[in-house]
Amino acid sequence: MIRTIRYGNFKIDVEFTHLKDCYGLYDPASKLLQIDKRQSGLRLFNTWMHELFHIIIYHEEINVNDRGEEPIAVAVGDGYTKIFKGNPRLKNYLMRLLKVAKN
């Protein structure tokens, strides 16, 4: 199970818990990513991707209202690269979620 992830110099704690109104939640102030533990398969994979997007947007200081589509796409792509290169266990975990969902 993934307990922490790195984003550049930041260490983000991961907590699997029961969430009431959402599937996942990233709190940048406490560097805590919460994932609702009742998910599995594609729903869990999609939640991870969604929350990783929030992590990238926050830590790259991307204001989506001020930038065009292409600069955001480049920044997000670079952010995912940073996440997956720095967290091989997370990458393998997400790939297992996809593989299980195929069956």
Side-chain angles (χ1 to χ4, degrees):
M1 180 152 318
I2 304 296
R3 298 283 183 208
T4 62
I5 60 173
R6 304 240 7 120
Y7 190 81
N9 294 328
F10 299 100
K11 178 184 167 197
I12 299 165
D13 291 318
V14 178
E15 176 182 83
F16 289 87
T17 187
H18 288 275
L19 295 173
K20 288 185 179 187
D21 298 325
C22 58
Y23 294 121
L25 179 65
Y26 177 57
D27 179 6
S30 64
K31 304 288 184 286
L32 176 64
L33 172 59
Q34 293 180 302
I35 303 285
D36 191 303
K37 66 182 179 181
R38 296 169 288 187
Q39 301 173 85
S40 62
L42 284 179
R43 167 53 50 209
L44 181 55
F45 177 85
N46 288 335
T47 297
W48 269 100
M49 297 305 288
H50 178 102
E51 296 307 323
L52 293 174
F53 176 85
H54 286 299
I55 290 169
I56 293 165
I57 293 295
Y58 178 80
H59 289 286
E60 296 300 327
E61 299 177 357
I62 298 170
N63 183 336
V64 296
N65 296 318
D66 291 344
R67 297 179 71 178
E69 182 179 336
E70 192 61 25
I72 291 171
V74 169
V76 170
D78 291 346
Y80 279 120
T81 299
K82 186 184 295 186
I83 287 171
F84 295 137
K85 283 184 77 173
N87 300 277
R89 287 184 59 226
L90 174 63
K91 181 184 75 168
N92 293 336
Y93 170 73
L94 292 172
M95 291 303 107
R96 283 193 308 273
L97 289 175
L98 283 176
K99 187 177 272 188
V100 169
K102 283 184 174 180
N103 297 338

